[in-house]
Amino acid sequence: MTLATLYGTLGIVLFALGLYGAIVRRRVLRKLVAVNVMISGVFLTFIAAGSRSPGEPDPVAQAIVLTGIVVTLGGTALGLALVRRIHALDLTSDPLEPLDG
Amino acid sequence: MIWSVVVPLAGGLAALLAPRRAARIAILTSVATLAVALALTRAVALDGALEHRPGGWPPPLGIRLVVDGVGVLFLLLVALVFVAATVYGASFFDPVETDRIDTGREAYDAEASDHAVRKGPRAPEGFWALWLFALASLDGLFLTADLFNMYVAIELLTLASVGLVAITNDRASVTAALRYLLAGMVASLFFLLGISLLYAEYGVLDLEALATAISAATDPASATGVALPLILTGLAVKAALFPFHFWLPPAHGSAFSPVSAVLSGLVVKGPFFVLLRLVTGPFAPVVPEAAGLALGALAVVGILWGSVRALQQPRLKLLIAYSTVAQIGYLFLALGLAISDPAGPAVRGGVVYALAHGCAKASMFLALGAIVRSTGHDRIRRLIAPQRGAPIAVSAFAVAGLAIMGFPPSGGFVGKLLIGEAATGADQWWTLAGLIVGGLLAALYLFRVFRRVFVAVPDDTAPLPRAPLGLEVPALALAVVSLLLGLAAALPLGLVS
Amino acid sequence: MTEPGPPTGAGSPPSPRSPTESGGRPGAGPLLRIVAGAVCAGLAGLIASAYWSLPDVASRVAPLVEESLAATGVASRVTAVLLAFRGYDTLLEVTVLLVAASAVHAVSAGENPGPVFTRGPAVDALLRLIAPLGVLLATYIVWRGSRAAGGAFQAGATLGGAVIALALGGVAVLSHVRPAVLRRLLVFGPAVFLGVGVVGLVTGAPFLEVPSDIGGIVIAAIEVALTLSIGLALVYLLGETLPGGLARPPRPGASSDDSGEVVR
């Protein structure tokens, strides 16, 4: 087993763990964190996909992950802003409260 | 063809720079995008598919954009609906600067003001920029022939859509937007993981290079067999196929009417188009027929479920949103049939149905907004003879409703006819049954509304405040297009084949 | 007034239920946990086994990057992919940031809980250091990006991070800048990028094509413009989700005494 395969497998495991969290957790903030675990898993797999042959790691895979990081950062930040907005609109609610499951 | 993306991108930047003139910028931009789409249609009709390489780099290295007959029809649909919805939006939002910070809810509660002239909400800051970026991302999605670029475009589309839902800024819409965002992010990650597996196996992202690699592979089942379901699932969630539709009704039901029109009419068609391009393109040799059957089965259940839920809705807006859940089923029926027979009538049926539904559904949401501007609410039980206040919008709603039900000679009828033909050809009687029962249920839930509108006699004869023409005319225009699509179906069908 | 919706939003099953109904419980029921666990474990096993079965094939694109690197005018492979070969991706990606920033701005306008750090000698010293250090570091990262790892996004993140850190300490740098100027700065990078693309189109070349002899300079210019806009977009994105409301901060240099005061 090469190092790249190990990283790829780790990425897949992270993806599945994050998915489990995103399904099972009821609190929105935890769901967002779980989704970010999935994100890390996918990116790890992508980087590993570009470094499975010996030699320089694939610059395309690196560039794609960089682009992906920025895109997912936008989504996460928007999610946090929405959670905060829900709390601001309804001060009686706990900001960590679950969405309707 | 790149102008289809460049024009709305530039418009979006301009709208960010000049918020006060944003509505005018949006109208100009959408009209310019329509002009580009018309010119492209002419070019594709004369010369066939066109290709563009941003940066000028050859395919496996650079990104390739391709527009073919199907793509250009979707570009045209997007541009047309956007022109109508933008003109509508310019009247929908109150141009007068007021110091009200609400976005419509408080006045809606105040039923005492029933007979006053109703004012629209103020256009929220950044609305038109998000609007034009959504247009740019839709066009980008219909053009791209690169897997990762598809991901970026679809994510741009999702974030813009979520922003447009959340911008209503009340609890229902922000909660709906958050759920939309979470579902959309998980779906994108399925899609992206699938892409990464394909990249690990074939080392390319360009669709044509991928098609060559897949058909040349001796044993294409290894990672492709797993990547394919991941990609299908991800895009099915984004397109709100049953049972992944849960995010759609609250989002479409709580957004501003012009936003709902674009979300329901266009945005869900984006991932559908990508799926169509993938399963009839590079994945055609490896998609198992079972996948087509599975999609078809989910589609039939979705049609029935969406229609039954539509029947139960007390609010007209949610009824229309659930009707979209049902109608997405028809698109996936066509997709499932196209997997087993890519050259058959299923693709043409799906495309025509998507075009008709895009115009008709957008028209219904626009008409609903006009009706609500007059009546102040959308409770079906109390929606008696709204044509007193919004006669043009009510007729638009009726015409668009006929297209949704699939009455001849509407575009919806032609689309269903072709899908039915494909189902008969494939000996899928259950698909045909789903198609027919779905049409009957659509008639049932829409006639429930029509009965209130046309038959019920109002107990008070007081006149309702008149909805502005700027809200009524765009709704009617789109309804008429959905009707004409059936009468002139030969034109789009000629482009598909 | 025009938008329908029951005031409670609880009239129909698909609309969000009231928090009391499902609140309090940190997780789902045991059945869902077991089913979800089994599904996710199965999924991981399936994907991993497919992944292991892959032959060790090199990327087909990587050698092409090597071949065409000289034609881009930049020395760093990753930067060449980001801004030349897949520049169109990057243009859409920057747009994603603008979209997210606009959306965040639209939903959080007017909220401002104030600074979070308690000012003291240590924090003050840090705050004095962080601005020059952030600018210096960002400049270095952009410069380095033409040859090795680095570039507009990393530099923008550094710059934005410095601004956010300052605002957390109550030093609101951006409050001295008029909103119109901030808007121009936000749009500047994407506009330069788009403009470069359109110049190619107008002269008959493909979108975003840059002649290779000036490629290095043009890409450097795009990077610098993007750094500023990305930094600001990140401030909008994270700044307004963090306490401290960076775009419209409470009071420049305010001490922590008036934290908690909401100022629009």
Side-chain angles (χ1 to χ4, degrees):
Chain A
M1 182 187 276
T2 64
L3 205 57
T5 318
L6 188 66
Y7 280 131
T9 312
L10 194 63
I12 292 165
V13 170
L14 279 178
F15 176 84
L17 278 177
L19 181 63
Y20 175 78
I23 296 171
V24 166
R25 298 287 161 206
R26 298 188 70 98
R27 297 191 164 175
V28 183
L29 230 49
R30 293 192 180 193
K31 276 189 198 283
L32 265 176
V33 172
V35 168
N36 272 274
V37 172
M38 289 176 80
I39 291 172
S40 313
V42 173
F43 290 156
L44 201 55
T45 316
F46 224 122
I47 288 284
S51 10
R52 292 181 321 119
S53 59
E56 285 265 317
D58 176 9
V60 178
Q62 289 182 51
I64 276 171
V65 168
L66 274 176
T67 306
I69 287 174
V70 177
V71 170
T72 49
L73 169 79
T76 307
L78 181 53
L80 290 174
L82 293 177
V83 172
R84 237 171 75 98
R85 183 65 190 156
I86 292 172
H87 179 53
L89 283 166
D90 184 0
L91 286 172
T92 56
S93 76
D94 173 0
L96 301 175
E97 111 200 358
L99 279 180
D100 165 25
Chain B
M1 75 162 91
I2 186 72
W3 289 108
S4 298
V5 180
V6 171
V7 169
L9 270 187
L13 294 180
L16 269 184
L17 270 183
R20 287 213 190 122
R21 267 161 287 166
R24 244 173 300 162
I25 291 170
I27 291 178
L28 274 178
T29 308
S30 58
V31 170
T33 311
L34 180 61
V36 173
L38 284 171
L40 260 182
T41 312
R42 190 170 171 275
V44 170
L46 291 178
D47 308 326
L50 298 171
E51 192 185 285
H52 187 95
R53 298 168 180 176
W57 306 102
L61 179 61
I63 296 166
R64 214 162 42 96
L65 306 180
V66 173
V67 61
D68 53 8
V70 177
V72 89
L73 285 173
F74 276 93
L75 287 181
L76 211 52
L77 169 75
V78 167
L80 204 65
V81 172
F82 254 91
V83 168
T86 310
V87 171
Y88 179 96
S91 317
F92 182 83
F93 292 112
D94 189 3
V96 186
E97 285 283 322
T98 55
D99 46 12
R100 286 192 302 140
I101 49 161
D102 77 294
T103 46
R105 177 53 51 93
E106 136 240 88
Y108 165 65
D109 291 340
E111 307 233 341
S113 67
D114 250 1
H115 302 295
V117 177
R118 292 173 200 277
K119 276 163 72 183
R122 215 153 53 102
E125 204 184 334
F127 177 85
W128 292 112
L130 286 176
W131 181 259
L132 292 175
F133 287 139
L135 171 59
S137 60
L138 269 169
D139 279 358
L141 198 56
F142 292 135
L143 288 178
T144 181
D146 180 281
L147 278 177
F148 186 70
N149 191 246
M150 277 178 178
Y151 164 78
V152 179
I154 217 167
E155 208 56 4
L156 183 59
L157 179 61
T158 303
L159 288 190
S161 310
V162 168
L164 285 171
V165 172
I167 216 163
T168 310
N169 226 342
D170 56 21
R171 197 166 195 286
S173 67
V174 178
T175 313
L178 185 53
R179 187 188 317 205
Y180 187 177
L181 180 73
L182 282 171
M185 282 178 89
V186 171
S188 316
L189 292 172
F190 272 77
F191 185 46
L192 193 57
L193 187 63
I195 294 174
S196 96
L197 289 177
L198 287 175
Y199 187 68
E201 178 157 3
Y202 302 108
V204 286
L205 295 165
D206 181 75
L207 290 192
E208 207 171 65
L210 186 69
T212 322
I214 287 181
S215 34
T218 44
D219 174 28
S222 57
T224 317
V226 177
L228 203 60
L230 286 174
I231 289 177
L232 280 180
T233 313
L235 291 174
V237 175
K238 292 245 178 195
L241 173 66
F242 181 90
F244 307 119
H245 65 281
F246 55 91
W247 56 266
L248 186 145
H252 292 195
S254 65
F256 287 127
S257 291
V259 174
S260 305
V262 163
L263 292 184
S264 243
L266 304 177
V267 171
V268 287
K269 309 287 189 314
F272 166 74
F273 173 85
V274 170
L275 270 177
L276 193 66
R277 189 166 242 187
L278 291 178
V279 298
T280 58
F283 294 141
V286 284
V287 185
E289 211 152 309
L293 289 178
L295 285 181
L298 288 180
V300 169
V301 181
I303 291 173
L304 300 180
W305 175 254
S307 305
V308 169
R309 291 310 308 271
L311 262 173
Q312 299 169 332
Q313 294 310 312
R315 282 179 47 207
L316 188 51
K317 198 165 190 176
L318 280 171
L319 182 149
I320 307 176
Y322 269 104
S323 147
T324 295
V325 173
Q327 255 90 53
I328 287 160
Y330 293 119
L331 298 181
F332 276 87
L333 268 189
L335 194 74
L337 289 164
I339 286 175
S340 39
D341 180 15
V347 175
R348 282 178 292 148
V351 170
V352 172
Y353 194 81
L355 298 179
H357 176 256
C359 291
K361 191 48 67 73
S363 164
M364 286 176 110
F365 271 116
L366 296 184
L368 171 102
I371 292 171
V372 169
R373 183 63 59 91
S374 165
T375 58
H377 69 93
D378 73 333
R379 301 244 151 218
I380 298 170
R381 188 179 286 280
R382 288 183 13 231
L383 210 59
I384 296 166
Q387 62 268 45
R388 288 171 292 159
I392 303 172
V394 167
S395 27
F397 190 89
V399 172
L402 292 181
I404 294 288
M405 286 184 253
F407 262 71
S410 69
F413 171 72
V414 177
K416 281 190 185 177
L417 199 66
L418 284 166
I419 299 172
E421 195 187 318
T424 329
D427 274 337
Q428 287 188 13
W429 59 268
W430 50 274
T431 305
L432 208 58
L435 209 60
I436 293 166
V437 175
L440 289 176
L441 283 171
L444 213 58
Y445 62 69
L446 284 174
F447 275 118
R448 181 172 148 240
V449 180
F450 291 166
R451 195 175 58 109
R452 288 268 156 210
V453 172
F454 295 119
V455 184
V457 182
D459 15 300
D460 68 311
T461 46
L464 286 169
R466 188 78 168 80
L469 278 182
L471 299 188
E472 294 199 281
V473 174
L476 186 67
L478 285 181
V480 168
V481 172
S482 74
L483 194 71
L484 288 181
L485 253 176
L487 294 173
L491 292 175
L493 285 176
L495 274 167
V496 175
S497 45
Chain C
M1 92 156 2
T2 54
E3 284 310 305
T8 56
S12 51
S15 47
R17 268 179 238 139
S18 65
T20 48
E21 200 172 315
S22 48
R25 272 200 294 155
L31 185 67
L32 180 63
R33 278 168 185 272
I34 292 166
V35 172
V39 167
C40 292
L43 196 64
L46 213 65
I47 302 171
S49 68
Y51 189 78
W52 289 332
S53 74
L54 282 176
D56 272 356
V57 207
S59 157
R60 301 215 200 150
V61 195
L64 295 173
V65 173
E66 222 57 58
E67 255 170 54
S68 310
L69 190 62
T72 62
V74 274
S76 159
R77 291 175 191 79
V78 178
T79 305
V81 175
L82 276 177
L83 286 160
F85 305 134
R86 300 188 68 92
Y88 177 63
D89 262 351
T90 308
L91 178 65
L92 292 188
E93 166 202 0
V94 182
T95 315
V96 167
L97 276 186
L98 282 189
V99 163
S102 314
V104 169
H105 188 70
V107 295
S108 42
E111 286 166 34
N112 204 332
V116 291
F117 288 169
T118 311
R119 295 287 288 272
V123 170
D124 282 352
L126 187 72
L127 289 180
R128 264 197 296 280
L129 253 177
I130 213 157
L133 209 62
V135 173
L136 192 69
L137 207 58
T139 317
Y140 172 69
I141 293 173
V142 179
W143 170 72
R144 192 181 139 84
S146 61
R147 294 179 297 113
F153 290 95
Q154 294 88 329
T158 313
L159 211 54
V163 175
I164 290 173
L166 280 172
L168 287 178
V171 184
V173 193
L174 296 182
S175 67
H176 304 292
V177 190
R178 280 189 300 127
V181 177
L182 285 182
R183 279 201 297 270
R184 268 172 232 158
L185 193 61
L186 190 64
V187 171
F188 179 60
V192 167
F193 205 166
L194 196 64
V196 168
V198 173
V199 167
L201 267 185
V202 172
T203 55
F207 182 62
L208 286 174
E209 187 175 87
V210 180
S212 58
D213 47 337
I214 55 164
I217 298 166
V218 172
I219 286 179
I222 294 175
E223 288 238 54
V224 172
L226 281 182
T227 301
L228 295 173
S229 295
I230 288 167
L232 186 60
L234 291 177
V235 171
Y236 270 91
L237 263 188
L238 297 175
E240 297 209 278
T241 54
L242 285 170
L246 299 155
R248 282 167 271 72
R251 218 167 290 159
S255 70
S256 58
D257 299 340
D258 53 356
S259 67
E261 187 186 4
V262 178
V263 185
R264 270 199 84 190

